[in-house]
């Protein structure tokens, strides 16, 4: 904490009335009902979804600069002129919409995600936004949950790498810079463990799993300097996260030294009543504030009750001052006291630049995962007439994915048009947007490409599904054209893993496009016709069927493991005991071989280098993503059968061999042990350098 900032804050707090202090703890979603007088009286600390409805600018979708400046101007008429911090859900892009975060995780390229976040920050701040409610860092093991789209998948190591990169991209070295945002690590914590994959359900997570699986991405975000944290809706182990003092204060601040502030998720303070831990709003407000929850998003509980609770001595002035201090600290660090207004000329030069579009195309290209490619059907070459069919052939905004309020369909080249631009000369494209037409035309073409999947309206918050099959009307396309003797490529756009076992068997090639963002169509064309090659790897396991969920790679072995001989082993009678596709899996347009695993020592003391040769044995250049996994063979608690501890993206020319190297340190092997302490235990370890979480070259070492 800088002395200058702390002195400024303490001086300001000393002048504030209790009402003004409580005012800083309130955040409202700016809507027509919001009375400007609340701002003038200093009773609002933050606004989000600032809309033109309040300023006569019309119902603009985004909080553009004039609107933000309008609210800021009113707020600065207050007695102490404390600026607002204007927030918004700027999750994976603003006008330049990048692939959904789950897709960006599939690129296994944190640096690229950081660049995307930096572009996003530049566009959002040009629109008067200073605080984004991102990155979403919830580990997800259940694709029925609609919000798997927003996170980085099932793995804590990948999640932590992405968390740090995206926070750095949003905030830069100092988020007072005019083109930088204050980040918000959300939803703290365990939201992805909601029972049944149903949003808002309760979750049960053991302390070791909480510490070693769900918390690491948040710790990485805090270590990267995230200015704020958002509490989760979830009732975790019987304590709603919004009122969990152990997590919000003892862990977040006591153990990790977090100095920023915590905002509740939408109305989650008031929801403490529905959860059944608060009698009424006053009680809910006391529980949340004492737990360490600083800002009340929308519920009004702090606004309505804290004054009386203070007067009754139910909260101490010190607790109130501490919450205010944290909020003022972030506002001061964000430069809002010196520069509360947005330069409205930036909108003309900082939005949707060609460089931003190019970056979005790169991100889309690197995120798509090739799941099958029999007979090297892809890239499509030598076909004179190709049928492009499916529900997505005219897709524009449908490519954005969830949480893209500022993306605009008109910014997107429709998929069919984009494909025309990327199709090689002499290739004729036909189009069909119904199964019947597709079936008829298949007889007259040389190859078929189906573009199907789930609409983004089915992805994201409160979009949970009980069945992971393709949505209605999609599988029919595959049934209509499969088996007609024409090479079939299926491209799937989705915000989650879908149970596509049947489609995988019917297609010759399958490319998973996720929701790829504003440049997804062009990126797809480059991959389909081979000007670029796919390099994505799965950040989340793909189940064979809904009933196989939860299924994830870093599982425990069981006393009767799936690889046991005989009948008595953990499995279903009606399914093979392995996923359709494992975490880390993905193909390219060339092949790679791994050889000559080497360990620098048999025993890890300090550091241990693990290396292997990777060779491109095919005829095209390609990017491989070697992954480093370990397994702790014996522990005071049971240990996962594999844990990701490193990955690299390696470009190899045809015939080229590179020795990829990873360095393991003792700290990489630490875990939450049976006595609750975090550390390592001596013993044997397996280690792999692998193309995915099921294969690879195996070695062993001791600690
Ligand atoms: C929503 C989401 C949260 C979002 C907030 C504001 O309910 O849970 O992720 O940031 O409300 O829109």
């Amino acid at each position: 904490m800088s002395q200058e900032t702390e002195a400024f804050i303490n001086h300001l707090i000393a002048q504030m009335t209790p009402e003004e202090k409580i005012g800083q703890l309130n955040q409202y979603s700016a809507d027509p009902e919001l009375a400007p007088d609340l701002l003038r009286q200093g009773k609002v600390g933050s606004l989000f979804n600032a809309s033109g409805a309040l300023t006569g600018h019309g119902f603009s979708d985004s909080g553009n600069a004039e609107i933000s400046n309008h609210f800021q101007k009113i707020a600065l008429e207050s007695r102490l002129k404390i600026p607002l911090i204007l927030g918004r859900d700027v999750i994976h892009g603003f006008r330049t919409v990048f692939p959904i975060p789950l897709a960006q995780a599939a690129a296994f390229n944190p640096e690229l995600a950081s660049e995307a976040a930096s572009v996003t920050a530049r566009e959002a701040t040009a629109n008067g936004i200073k605080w984004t409610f991102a990155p979403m860092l919830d580990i997800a093991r259940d694709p029925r949950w609609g919000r798997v789209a927003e996170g980085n998948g099932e793995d804590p190591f990948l999640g932590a790498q992405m968390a740090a990169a995206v926070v750095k991209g949003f905030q830069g070295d100092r988020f007072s810079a005019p083109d930088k945002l204050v980040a918000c690590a959300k939803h703290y914590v365990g939201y992805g463990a909601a029972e049944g994959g149903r949003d808002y359900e309760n979750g049960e997570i053991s302390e070791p799993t909480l510490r070693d699986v769900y918390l690491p991405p948040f710790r990485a975000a805090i270590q990267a300097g995230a200015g704020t944290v958002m509490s989760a809706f979830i009732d975790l182990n019987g304590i709603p996260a919004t009122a969990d003092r152990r997590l919000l204060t003892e862990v977040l601040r006591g153990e990790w030294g977090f100095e920023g502030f915590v905002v509740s998720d939408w109305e989650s303070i008031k929801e403490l009543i529905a959860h059944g831990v608060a009698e009424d709003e006053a009680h809910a407000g006391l529980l949340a504030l004492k737990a360490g929850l600083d800002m009340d998003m929308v519920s009004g509980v702090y606004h309505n009750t804290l004054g009386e609770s203070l007067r009754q001595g139910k909260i101490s002035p010190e607790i109130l001052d501490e919450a205010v201090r944290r909020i003022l600290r972030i506002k001061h660090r964000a430069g809002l006291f010196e520069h509360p207004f947005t330069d409205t000329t930036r909108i003309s030069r900082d939005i949707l630049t060609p460089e931003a579009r190019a970056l979005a195309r790169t991100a889309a290209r690197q995120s798509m995962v090739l799941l099958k490619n029999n007979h090297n059907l892809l890239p499509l070459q030598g076909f004179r007439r190709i049928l492009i069919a499916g529900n997505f052939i005219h897709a524009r905004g449908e490519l954005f994915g969830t949480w893209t309020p500022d993306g605009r369909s008109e910014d997107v080249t429709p998929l069919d048009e984009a494909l025309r631009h990327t199709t090689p000369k002499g290739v004729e494209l036909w189009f069909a947007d119904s199964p019947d037409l597709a079936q008829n035309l298949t007889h007259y073409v040389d190859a078929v490409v189906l573009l199907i999947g789930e609409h983004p309206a089915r992805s994201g918050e409160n979009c949970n599904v009980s069945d992971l099959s393709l949505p209605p009307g999609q599988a029919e396309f595959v049934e209509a054209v499969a088996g007609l003797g024409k090479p079939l490529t299926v491209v799937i756009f989705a915000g989650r893993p879908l149970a596509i076992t049947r489609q995988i068997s019917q297609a010759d090639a399958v490319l998973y496009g996720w929701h790829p963002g504003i440049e997804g169509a062009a990126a797809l064309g480059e991959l389909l016709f081979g000007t670029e090659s796919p390099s994505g790897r799965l950040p989340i396991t793909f189940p064979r069927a809904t009933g196989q969920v939860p299924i994830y790679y870093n599982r425990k072995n069981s006393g009767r493991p799936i690889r046991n001989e005989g009948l008595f082993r953990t499995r279903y009678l009606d399914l093979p005991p392995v996923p359709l596709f494992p975490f880390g899996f993905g193909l390219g347009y060339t092949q790679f071989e791994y050889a000559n695993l080497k360990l620098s020592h048999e025993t890890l003391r300090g550091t241990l280098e693990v290396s292997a040769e990777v060779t491109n044995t095919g005829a095209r250049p390609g990017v491989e993503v070697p992954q480093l996994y370990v397994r702790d063979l014996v522990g005071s608690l049971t240990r996962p059968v594999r844990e990701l501890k490193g990955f690299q993206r390696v470009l190899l020319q045809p015939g080229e061999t590179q020795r990829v190297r990873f360095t393991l340190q003792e700290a990489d092997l630490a875990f939450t042990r049976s006595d609750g302490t975090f550390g390592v235990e001596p013993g044997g370890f397996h280690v792999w350098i692998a193309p995915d979480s099921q294969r690879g070259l195996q070695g062993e070492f001791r600690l």
Side-chain angles (χ1 to χ4, degrees):
M1 286 181 245
S2 88
Q3 289 312 315
E4 183 241 342
T5 297
E6 298 310 301
F8 176 87
I9 297 168
N10 291 331
H11 178 66
L12 188 49
I13 289 178
Q15 302 171 64
M16 294 170 78
T17 64
E19 286 69 28
E20 286 166 333
K21 291 176 182 176
I22 293 166
Q24 287 303 304
L25 277 51
N26 292 314
Q27 177 185 57
Y28 291 102
S29 175
D31 53 34
E33 284 73 53
L34 186 81
D37 284 354
L38 280 178
L39 298 174
R40 286 192 185 90
Q41 292 156 15
K43 293 186 174 177
V44 180
S46 170
L47 288 179
F48 68 109
N49 295 338
S51 145
L54 289 174
T55 62
H57 288 245
F59 277 86
S60 69
D61 308 341
S62 61
N64 59 49
E66 290 84 4
I67 293 170
S68 299
N69 288 345
H70 167 85
F71 287 120
Q72 199 65 287
K73 186 166 157 300
I74 298 173
L76 294 178
E77 292 169 13
S78 61
R79 185 175 76 89
L80 293 171
K81 302 185 183 346
I82 297 174
L84 297 166
I85 183 164
L86 288 138
R88 195 169 178 80
D89 289 287
V90 185
I91 312 298
H92 54 102
F94 194 79
R95 277 293 293 281
T96 303
V97 177
F98 288 90
I100 54 173
L102 187 62
Q104 292 189 50
F108 279 73
N109 192 341
E111 295 71 30
L112 182 59
S114 191
E115 286 177 57
S118 182
V119 165
T120 300
R122 187 164 59 245
E123 294 195 354
T125 51
N127 273 271
I129 309 299
K130 191 58 188 178
W131 177 25
T132 179
F133 307 138
M136 189 270 212
L137 302 175
D138 300 308
I139 293 292
R141 292 173 159 175
D142 189 332
R144 293 175 294 180
W145 187 46
R147 302 195 81 163
V148 291
E150 283 177 75
N152 298 302
E154 70 189 39
D155 180 69
F157 180 87
L158 177 60
Q161 299 284 312
M162 295 297 284
V166 171
V167 165
K168 284 290 179 204
F170 281 141
Q171 297 190 157
D173 296 331
R174 55 186 182 81
F175 46 71
S176 57
D179 62 347
K180 290 302 176 187
L181 287 168
V182 181
C184 182
K186 77 181 185 183
H187 307 79
Y188 185 73
V189 65
Y191 187 15
E195 231 166 50
R198 290 187 303 276
D199 237 337
Y200 320 128
E201 282 288 0
N202 70 305
E204 300 284 341
I205 306 176
S206 71
E207 183 68 8
T209 301
L210 183 65
R211 290 275 178 178
D212 297 347
V213 176
Y214 290 88
L215 281 172
F218 288 92
R219 189 174 59 230
I222 301 308
Q223 286 169 339
T228 68
V229 166
M230 182 184 293
S231 69
F233 287 125
I234 196 165
D235 157 3
L236 181 62
N237 303 329
I239 305 174
T242 297
D244 189 326
R245 177 172 175 75
R246 185 176 77 93
L247 290 173
L248 290 174
T249 295
E250 292 166 29
V251 174
L252 191 57
R253 295 177 169 119
E255 293 181 27
W256 298 351
F258 174 58
E259 298 168 353
F261 70 85
V262 178
V263 63
S264 69
D265 200 342
W266 188 288
E267 292 218 329
S268 59
I269 294 179
K270 187 182 284 186
E271 289 173 7
L272 296 176
I273 301 168
H275 276 298
V277 293
E279 295 279 343
D280 53 26
E281 285 197 11
H283 188 193
L286 294 178
L287 288 175
L289 190 68
K290 289 176 177 176
L293 195 295
D294 305 302
M295 185 179 279
D296 174 2
M297 179 187 283
V298 173
S299 87
V301 166
Y302 281 4
H303 174 73
N304 299 334
T305 68
L306 287 188
E308 185 55 28
S309 297
L310 189 66
R311 281 186 287 278
Q312 292 176 9
K314 289 181 178 173
I315 50 166
S316 66
E318 291 70 26
I319 281 192
L320 178 59
D321 286 358
E322 190 48 38
V324 178
R325 180 171 287 110
R326 292 167 184 152
I327 292 167
L328 294 179
R329 179 179 296 132
I330 295 301
K331 289 186 174 182
H332 190 266
R333 278 190 188 168
L336 288 169
F337 285 91
E338 295 91 337
H339 309 290
F341 297 108
T342 301
D343 169 358
T344 55
T345 66
R346 284 182 52 199
I347 197 98
S348 60
R349 57 181 184 275
D350 284 355
I351 305 292
L352 219 52
T353 63
E355 297 76 16
R357 275 190 180 273
L359 189 67
R361 185 179 297 195
T362 301
R365 202 165 50 222
Q366 291 192 14
S367 70
M368 294 187 186
V369 183
L370 183 60
L371 297 175
K372 181 178 181 182
N373 194 22
N374 278 7
H375 324 302
N376 293 320
L377 171 60
L378 294 181
L380 296 169
Q381 288 172 335
F383 298 109
R384 200 176 58 76
R385 184 179 293 154
I386 299 173
L387 175 64
I388 309 289
N391 300 63
F392 276 75
I393 62 172
H394 307 304
R396 299 178 81 152
E398 294 80 4
L399 298 176
F400 285 159
T402 184
W403 287 111
T404 54
D406 302 298
R408 298 184 186 178
S409 282
E410 60 267 26
D411 295 336
V412 186
T413 305
L415 214 147
D416 46 4
E417 194 181 318
L419 288 182
R420 286 194 184 93
H421 295 331
T422 46
T423 303
K425 290 232 174 313
V427 175
E428 190 182 348
L429 295 186
W430 285 9
F431 293 89
D433 55 10
S434 79
D436 296 350
L437 179 57
Q439 187 170 60
N440 293 337
L441 296 184
T442 294
H443 299 294
Y444 304 94
V445 298
D446 307 313
V448 179
V449 177
L450 283 185
L451 307 177
I452 55 176
E454 67 176 356
H455 190 280
R458 220 179 75 117
S459 171
E461 182 175 357
N462 207 21
C463 288
N464 319 302
V465 292
S466 66
D467 182 347
L468 290 169
S469 309
L470 277 166
Q474 308 290 313
E476 288 76 355
F477 270 104
V478 187
E479 301 301 337
V481 299
L484 294 183
K486 298 294 171 64
L488 174 58
T489 297
V490 174
V491 179
I492 296 177
F493 297 105
R496 58 165 49 95
L498 293 172
I500 52 173
T501 305
R502 177 161 173 72
Q503 289 75 30
I504 287 289
S505 68
Q506 292 172 303
D508 301 297
V510 178
L511 184 65
Y512 219 76
W514 311 106
H515 287 132
I518 192 169
E519 287 289 327
L524 174 64
E526 290 168 344
L527 296 181
L528 286 178
F529 295 107
T531 51
E532 297 288 347
S533 300
S535 59
R537 296 291 183 270
L538 295 181
I540 189 167
T541 298
F542 272 53
R544 292 176 179 275
T546 307
Q548 204 175 36
V549 169
I551 183 167
Y552 45 90
Y553 90 92
N554 47 358
R555 56 194 299 279
K556 299 303 186 70
N557 198 37
S558 160
R560 297 186 174 185
I562 51 177
R563 303 205 186 289
N564 260 15
E565 299 306 317
L567 296 177
F568 298 97
R569 55 201 170 99
T570 170
R571 65 192 176 107
Y572 294 105
L573 290 175
D574 56 351
L575 272 181
V578 289
L580 184 61
F581 295 105
F583 173 88
F585 178 82
L587 302 174
Y589 288 159
T590 185
Q591 291 70 43
F592 298 97
E593 261 176 28
Y594 287 61
N596 302 329
L597 183 79
K598 281 187 184 152
L599 280 70
S600 57
H601 304 81
E602 287 183 7
T603 303
L604 190 159
R605 285 196 188 87
T607 64
L608 171 76
E609 184 187 85
V610 187
S611 69
E613 289 173 346
V614 180
T615 302
N616 178 346
T617 57
R620 294 171 68 100
V623 170
E624 174 62 346
V625 185
Q627 299 145 46
L628 177 72
Y629 294 95
V630 298
R631 178 181 181 179
D632 186 346
L633 297 174
V634 177
S636 58
L637 292 178
T638 55
R639 310 288 295 115
V641 295
R642 280 206 193 193
E643 294 177 279
L644 181 71
K645 296 296 179 185
F647 57 85
Q648 298 176 28
R649 286 176 60 88
V650 181
L651 171 62
L652 292 170
Q653 298 304 319
E656 181 186 0
T657 295
Q658 266 190 37
R659 177 163 284 276
V660 293
R661 302 174 189 281
F662 295 95
T663 300
L664 268 176
Q665 298 171 348
E666 197 170 302
D668 297 328
L669 306 176
F671 68 104
T672 301
R673 297 171 292 200
S674 60
D675 64 0
T677 61
F678 185 73
V680 296
E681 291 176 352
F685 289 78
H686 284 164
V687 60
W688 294 264
I689 292 184
D692 62 47
S693 58
Q694 277 188 344
R695 296 177 291 158
L697 300 177
Q698 178 178 322
E700 54 190 13
F701 65 91
R702 297 193 63 78
L703 178 64

